[in-house]
Amino acid sequence: MFRLTTTASQAKRGLATSSEKVWNVYLSGEIHSDWREIISNGIQSKGIPVKLTSPNTSHEDSDDCGAIILGMEEKRTNWDKIGARMNGIRTQTLIREADVVVVRFGEKYRQWNAAFDAGYAAALNKPIITLHPPNISHMLKEVNANASVVCEDPEQVVDTLAYVIEGKLPKPRDGDDFVPIADRLGAGNPNP
């Protein structure tokens, strides 16, 4: 069973459909800004059928989970390895269950774990959406090459999910400067 949704702009572009499926979207990456909340709020306000998951976003808990549960270690490398393995259970499970993986890279910190998550998702053939400021695109060129979509802000992620899941397009980012491709370059197939 599916729910049919169309608007005037969609009718001009073609039929948009949406199923009752609730999509699992895993949010990987930096934990020092509110990008997850922006995406969550955007999904809620648009009513997109999405369940969001993420790693443990408490840096202290993520670092100390192994020592808190299993006991303190004498060496930092052991402490980190135990915590990383515990965190890996959650991360690997949720990425495997995800329909889409969003990977956020910020400017301030090097998110090696996010790059690892992107590689893991790519190995599982999961669709990846990367999210980062344009000025770090060069250092992420290999990650971006494996992404289905590269976004610069959380609102673009929300708009991408709305389109992919429900066929709903936002108003053009370029506003009145937007020109449809058929008007710009002509029809793609002159012999439809």
Side-chain angles (χ1 to χ4, degrees):
M1 177 164 161
F2 67 93
R3 181 178 72 225
L4 181 64
T5 59
T6 60
T7 64
S9 66
Q10 290 171 331
K12 284 175 33 180
R13 293 182 178 272
L15 181 64
T17 61
S18 177
S19 69
E20 296 299 320
K21 173 183 172 58
V22 175
W23 290 57
N24 289 317
V25 177
Y26 184 78
L27 304 178
S28 170
E30 66 97 356
I31 60 172
H32 305 285
S33 68
D34 64 350
W35 69 275
R36 285 182 177 85
E37 289 77 21
I38 294 170
I39 290 173
S40 178
N41 293 339
I43 286 169
Q44 283 183 335
S45 72
K46 291 181 183 279
I48 307 168
V50 166
K51 173 187 169 192
L52 296 174
T53 59
S54 72
N56 182 338
T57 58
S58 165
H59 197 157
E60 294 80 13
D61 290 355
S62 176
D63 283 350
D64 292 336
C65 62
I68 288 170
I69 295 168
L70 301 175
M72 292 185 25
E73 290 288 326
E74 293 298 319
K75 295 183 180 177
R76 174 71 192 226
T77 55
N78 291 344
W79 194 297
D80 285 345
K81 181 170 49 173
I82 293 168
R85 286 181 174 166
M86 281 191 179
N87 290 320
I89 295 169
R90 176 185 179 95
T91 300
Q92 291 172 17
T93 300
L94 294 175
I95 289 175
R96 274 195 309 270
E97 293 174 353
D99 296 303
V100 177
V101 176
V102 177
V103 185
R104 161 77 176 158
F105 295 92
E107 294 181 83
K108 187 172 181 182
Y109 301 98
R110 303 291 179 248
Q111 290 91 40
W112 308 120
N113 60 323
F116 185 84
D117 290 354
Y120 185 65
L124 295 172
N125 290 320
K126 299 291 180 176
I128 299 168
I129 299 172
T130 58
L131 170 60
H132 59 78
N135 62 328
I136 63 172
S137 290
H138 177 71
M139 70 176 80
L140 295 170
K141 65 184 180 290
E142 283 80 10
V143 175
N144 287 338
N146 283 289
S148 299
V149 181
V150 178
C151 296
E152 295 177 4
D153 59 59
E155 292 82 4
Q156 288 179 328
V157 173
V158 173
D159 289 340
T160 298
L161 293 171
Y163 174 71
V164 168
I165 294 169
E166 299 189 320
K168 295 179 181 176
L169 285 171
K171 292 183 179 181
R173 276 211 170 213
D174 296 319
D176 292 338
D177 292 335
F178 173 77
V179 178
I181 194 164
D183 295 345
R184 252 178 112 181
L185 303 174
N189 181 358
N191 304 311

